[in-house]
Amino acid sequence: MQYKATSPEDYINQVSEERKETLHKLRKTIKDNLPKGFEEGMQYSFPSYFVPHSMYPNGYHCKPEEPLPFMSFASQKNSINLYHMGIYAKPALLDWFVAEYPKHCKRKLDMGKSCIRFKKMEEIPFDLIAELCTKMTVEEWIAIYETNTKK
C-alpha cells in the first residue's frame, strides 16, 4: 500500500488498526538496537534508517541528494516487510540470518535480496530483528557500500 506520510509516526498512524501495535513494536525494536549514527526518517515512502549526509556526504549513488539507505519497514497488502541493505551487501550477515531464523520462527523464511516478508504479524521474530540491528555499525555499512559500488 502507498501512504502519504511525512514521518514514521504519521506512517504508522495511517495503517490499519490491526497493524499499528505491531509496527510500533517493530519501530521501537529497530530504534532501540541500531548502533549510534543511523538516523530515522522517511525514504521511498517508508519509515527508514539511513546514514545522514553529515556522516556520508556522498549520499546514495543512485540519488546523491538522498542519504545512504540502510534499513526500512513497510506495511504491504499481504505482509509487513523489513528491508535491510546489509543483508544484501554482506554475505556473512545473510548466512547468519538464514541460519538463525528457524530458531525464532516456525514459518519458512520468505525473503528477497534485502526484503524479509512477514505474513503473520504474531510470528514476527522481534528478538532476532533486534540482534540483526546490532550487527552492523554505520562505519562498517559505509565501508561495505563503498567497496560494493566500486565493483
Side-chain angles (χ1 to χ4, degrees):
M1 298 208 46
Q2 192 76 296
Y3 300 98
K4 301 243 188 255
T6 58
S7 70
E9 191 65 33
D10 184 28
Y11 181 93
I12 293 170
N13 287 334
Q14 292 182 38
V15 303
S16 62
E17 281 303 316
E18 66 270 5
R19 289 188 176 198
K20 284 182 182 179
E21 184 179 334
T22 300
L23 290 181
H24 277 297
K25 185 174 181 179
L26 182 57
R27 180 182 180 209
K28 180 172 177 19
T29 298
I30 294 168
K31 286 176 64 172
D32 288 352
N33 290 283
L34 270 183
K36 291 205 181 302
F38 290 106
E39 279 188 12
E40 180 186 53
M42 295 294 291
Q43 267 187 321
Y44 311 105
S45 302
F46 302 144
S48 299
Y49 303 85
F50 46 80
V51 180
H53 281 109
S54 61
M55 291 187 76
Y56 190 69
N58 293 348
Y60 186 42
H61 73 280
C62 296
K63 209 171 178 189
E65 64 276 10
E66 287 282 336
L68 179 59
F70 180 64
M71 194 171 182
S72 59
F73 64 87
S75 178
Q76 301 292 4
K77 182 178 180 182
N78 297 313
S79 60
I80 291 177
N81 296 351
L82 178 69
Y83 303 89
H84 192 289
M85 298 299 287
I87 281 180
Y88 175 67
K90 185 178 178 186
L93 185 58
L94 173 61
D95 293 345
W96 170 84
F97 186 81
V98 170
E100 286 296 312
Y101 186 85
K103 299 174 189 176
H104 296 266
C105 192
K106 293 177 234 147
R107 189 166 300 278
K108 182 182 175 210
L109 178 60
D110 183 357
M111 187 172 178
K113 289 184 179 181
S114 69
C115 173
I116 306 157
R117 291 175 284 276
F118 301 105
K119 293 192 171 122
K120 300 282 186 189
M121 290 183 295
E122 62 277 3
E123 295 180 11
I124 294 175
F126 291 102
D127 291 344
L128 180 60
I129 293 168
E131 191 173 350
L132 174 63
C133 288
T134 68
K135 295 282 185 187
M136 191 174 291
T137 65
V138 169
E139 294 79 14
E140 183 181 6
W141 173 229
I142 291 169
I144 289 169
Y145 175 76
E146 286 186 337
T147 299
N148 288 341
T149 55
K150 289 177 185 171
K151 289 181 179 178

